[in-house]
Amino acid sequence: MRIGFIGLGVMGRPMAQHLIVAGHQLYLYRVKPRSAHLVESGATACTSASEVARSAEVIILMLPDTPDVEHVLFGEDGVLEGVEPGKLIIDMSSISPLATKDFAARLDARGCEYLDAPVSGGEVGAKAASLTIMVGGKPEVFGRAKPLFEKMGKNITLIGGVGDGQVAKVANQIVVALNIQAVSEALRFAARAGADPAVVRQALMGGFAASRVLEVHGERMISESFEPGFRIRLHHKDLSLALDSAQLLELMLPNTAMVHQLMNGALSKGLGDKDHSALIEAL
Amino acid sequence: MRIGFIGLGVMGRPMAQHLIVAGHQLYLYRVKPRSAHLVESGATACTSASEVARSAEVIILMLPDTPDVEHVLFGEDGVLEGVEPGKLIIDMSSISPLATKDFAARLDARGCEYLDAPVSGGEVGAKAASLTIMVGGKPEVFGRAKPLFEKMGKNITLIGGVGDGQVAKVANQIVVALNIQAVSEALRFAARAGADPAVVRQALMGGFAASRVLEVHGERMISESFEPGFRIRLHHKDLSLALDSAQLLELMLPNTAMVHQLMNGALSKGLGDKDHSALIEAL
């Protein structure tokens, strides 16, 4: 299949690589030296997003934030200028659920299909093709894209209509951030009260406090191993998405707001490029 | 073995029953009609805590809060009046870690041994003898009590010295409360943004957001099944212990403090006797 791929960062590069290895013809935009190996593997470097959209049947985006996606889709020489009816745009970036519905509507008006398909699992999951992929869109469109998702991830769920993939991703980031804060407060409490946090963590893993965060990030906190992993800076962005949406929805998210504040503190302490488990250092 | 058991509430009754079934001679204080079956099973009803302490080698307490334990140990006709050197007091209540060190020291002065051994797992765990038991005390004293713990629980850990069992229990309650809040905020967000929270929960179970709380309490929130389980009122007490200790330790626990406030709100809405997963109703 002819697949466009725009956004060749830490996540995008291995994801694109998996599609090439699976035998697809890839069309890339913004090929930098660190992604030159993809062209050497047979992918085609394009000079604009519109050229990618003209060349490919399916165009995948993996970009940092909402304005980046908007610019690539609707800016000068963007995807919209190159697409024809029937083409499929898959946005795998983590961006605003509300903006997603708007983007999908504008592409629908051009006769194009749209899926939002943000991922969880980080660089490790991208390299291992074991990403969790949360998809929003029409079931038949999901069916068309599923074989591609299966080359990049393992736990692939159609959550609901357009935007619902992003909603699930935001929900995921809320839970992970607040669980990190939960483990941070508990382990700090244990240590300050004179107990061994490593033993406490082990005991807690056997009961209702058990979580992937206690297991993985709790271990990082105890050994103070804060190399990313997933950076505080990116998680901070994801909570900004949550709080922006919550404001529009008139929804109260008190602990999400508190963790966002604590992340502000972590960023101001220069911890932005540490793993998000380093949030414990903000206490 | 001759075992005293004081505190025959929802948790204490099945715990005492397991010890009777295991062949121990139990001495009980404050036998009410709902615990009369224990006497019918062969246990002895005593008229005071001091009589229990005179009759038994090991005295187990399972009481609601710190002042209850203090009263039973050191009040009129209390345990202290009945004990002799070499006897072992095991406090399985969930109380203040700092008060625990004081209680242990006062009993140590009388030549008695002391273990704090709070539990997690609730009424279900107590009935199934599958409680998680977090123990503080000397290793040789833990060894003496372990066969008794094994009749009541499954995941039994010596955390450290006296008080460290209570520290681990508080840490456990912090994690569980904050994980409940995490799932509450995420599922409310998902629903308000138009996605199906049941599908979102299922998708999140596959990644870093996975936790026992997402699994068990997330399911309760979706089906709005708030019969306890573990009551908000009791969890509220446990967070009070956390915050009282944090104040003495000069430790900042921002999300624990926020959830304590939200539980205040839940109590004022009459939700105190609902399962702690009903915390989502405070949003």
Side-chain angles (χ1 to χ4, degrees):
Chain A
M1 193 182 282
R2 288 175 286 112
I3 301 172
F5 205 110
I6 301 175
L8 301 169
V10 170
M11 299 289 291
R13 288 197 299 277
M15 292 164 71
Q17 181 82 55
H18 292 310
L19 295 171
I20 294 171
V21 168
H24 296 291
Q25 178 59 43
L26 261 68
Y27 296 87
L28 312 176
Y29 175 49
R30 284 200 203 125
V31 175
K32 294 177 185 166
R34 62 184 184 183
S35 39
H37 63 283
L38 298 171
V39 177
E40 289 158 19
S41 302
T44 302
C46 298
T47 57
S48 69
S50 61
E51 187 188 334
V52 169
R54 267 188 296 274
S55 308
E57 307 154 56
V58 174
I59 301 104
I60 296 175
L61 311 185
M62 190 63 191
L63 295 159
D65 205 349
T66 313
D68 307 294
V69 173
E70 181 160 32
H71 179 74
V72 161
L73 288 177
F74 307 112
E76 197 180 343
D77 271 337
V79 167
L80 190 70
E81 294 185 14
V83 287
E84 293 155 35
K87 294 202 173 184
L88 166 59
I89 291 89
I90 306 176
D91 181 22
M92 302 190 76
S93 324
S94 291
I95 68 163
S96 160
L98 303 177
T100 289
K101 293 185 190 191
D102 170 56
F103 298 168
R106 288 156 78 179
L107 286 156
D108 180 68
R110 181 64 68 92
C112 295
E113 300 292 353
Y114 191 95
L115 295 175
D116 50 302
V119 306
S120 162
E123 188 179 350
V124 171
K127 285 183 172 165
S130 66
L131 293 166
T132 292
I133 308 181
M134 294 154 272
V135 189
K138 297 176 200 155
E140 64 274 19
V141 181
F142 175 66
R144 182 174 162 196
K146 203 172 177 202
L148 304 181
F149 293 145
E150 286 169 346
K151 298 299 175 194
M152 298 181 278
K154 285 235 164 65
N155 188 354
I156 301 156
T157 310
L158 179 63
I159 306 288
V162 158
D164 285 352
Q166 299 293 355
V167 169
K169 175 65 193 282
V170 169
N172 186 77
Q173 296 305 82
I174 289 172
V175 171
V176 173
L178 271 54
N179 282 8
I180 287 176
Q181 184 61 22
V183 172
S184 297
E185 296 195 13
L187 294 184
R188 272 286 195 268
F189 178 86
R192 193 72 72 84
D196 180 343
V199 179
V200 170
R201 171 184 161 279
Q202 194 58 46
L204 267 51
M205 279 302 296
F208 269 114
S211 70
R212 285 279 285 153
V213 164
L214 180 63
E215 185 187 349
V216 176
H217 299 83
E219 177 63 41
R220 280 173 169 273
M221 290 174 197
I222 287 164
S223 61
E224 299 188 342
S225 311
F226 298 133
E227 288 311 299
F230 187 73
R231 292 167 204 273
I232 289 182
R233 192 179 304 290
L234 289 170
H235 211 149
H236 180 260
K237 181 212 83 173
D238 291 339
L239 294 195
S240 300
L241 287 178
L243 295 173
D244 289 350
S245 298
Q247 179 167 333
L248 293 169
L249 296 166
E250 299 184 351
L251 176 66
M252 178 170 73
L253 298 179
N255 274 9
T256 304
M258 181 67 88
V259 173
H260 193 251
Q261 287 297 315
L262 291 164
M263 285 180 173
N264 285 345
L267 293 180
S268 80
K269 284 183 181 176
L271 297 170
D273 291 316
K274 297 287 185 190
D275 185 72
H276 51 172
S277 51
L279 189 56
I280 193 173
E281 302 282 312
L283 280 186
Chain B
M1 193 181 284
R2 288 174 287 110
I3 301 172
F5 206 110
I6 302 175
L8 301 168
V10 170
M11 299 289 291
R13 287 196 300 277
M15 291 163 70
Q17 181 81 56
H18 293 308
L19 294 172
I20 294 171
V21 169
H24 296 290
Q25 177 60 44
L26 261 68
Y27 297 85
L28 312 177
Y29 175 48
R30 284 200 203 126
V31 175
K32 295 178 185 164
R34 62 184 183 183
S35 39
H37 62 284
L38 298 171
V39 177
E40 289 157 19
S41 303
T44 303
C46 299
T47 58
S48 69
S50 62
E51 187 189 335
V52 169
R54 267 188 296 275
S55 309
E57 308 154 56
V58 173
I59 301 104
I60 296 176
L61 310 185
M62 189 64 190
L63 294 159
D65 205 350
T66 312
D68 307 296
V69 173
E70 182 160 32
H71 179 74
V72 162
L73 288 178
F74 307 113
E76 197 181 343
D77 269 337
V79 167
L80 190 69
E81 294 185 13
V83 288
E84 294 156 33
K87 293 202 173 184
L88 166 59
I89 291 88
I90 306 176
D91 181 23
M92 302 189 75
S93 325
S94 291
I95 68 163
S96 159
L98 304 176
T100 290
K101 293 185 189 192
D102 171 54
F103 297 168
R106 289 156 76 180
L107 286 156
D108 180 69
R110 180 65 68 95
C112 294
E113 300 292 353
Y114 191 95
L115 294 174
D116 49 301
V119 307
S120 162
E123 189 179 349
V124 172
K127 286 184 171 164
S130 66
L131 292 167
T132 293
I133 308 181
M134 293 154 273
V135 189
K138 296 176 199 155
E140 65 273 19
V141 180
F142 174 66
R144 183 175 162 195
K146 203 173 177 200
L148 304 181
F149 293 145
E150 285 169 347
K151 298 299 175 196
M152 299 181 277
K154 285 234 163 68
N155 188 355
I156 301 156
T157 309
L158 179 64
I159 305 289
V162 157
D164 286 352
Q166 298 293 354
V167 170
K169 175 65 193 282
V170 170
N172 186 76
Q173 297 305 80
I174 290 173
V175 172
V176 173
L178 272 55
N179 283 7
I180 287 176
Q181 184 61 22
V183 172
S184 297
E185 295 194 14
L187 294 184
R188 272 284 196 268
F189 178 85
R192 193 73 72 85
D196 180 342
V199 179
V200 170
R201 171 183 161 280
Q202 194 58 45
L204 266 51
M205 278 303 295
F208 268 113
S211 70
R212 285 279 283 154
V213 165
L214 181 63
E215 185 187 349
V216 177
H217 300 82
E219 177 63 42
R220 280 173 169 275
M221 291 174 195
I222 288 164
S223 61
E224 299 187 342
S225 310
F226 297 132
E227 288 312 299
F230 187 74
R231 290 167 206 273
I232 289 182
R233 191 180 304 290
L234 289 170
H235 210 149
H236 180 259
K237 181 212 84 173
D238 292 340
L239 293 194
S240 300
L241 287 178
L243 295 173
D244 289 349
S245 298
Q247 180 168 330
L248 293 169
L249 296 166
E250 299 185 350
L251 175 66
M252 176 170 76
L253 298 179
N255 274 10
T256 303
M258 182 67 86
V259 173
H260 193 253
Q261 287 298 314
L262 291 164
M263 286 180 173
N264 285 345
L267 294 179
S268 81
K269 283 183 180 176
L271 297 170
D273 290 316
K274 298 286 185 190
D275 186 71
H276 51 171
S277 52
L279 189 56
I280 193 172
E281 302 283 312
L283 279 187

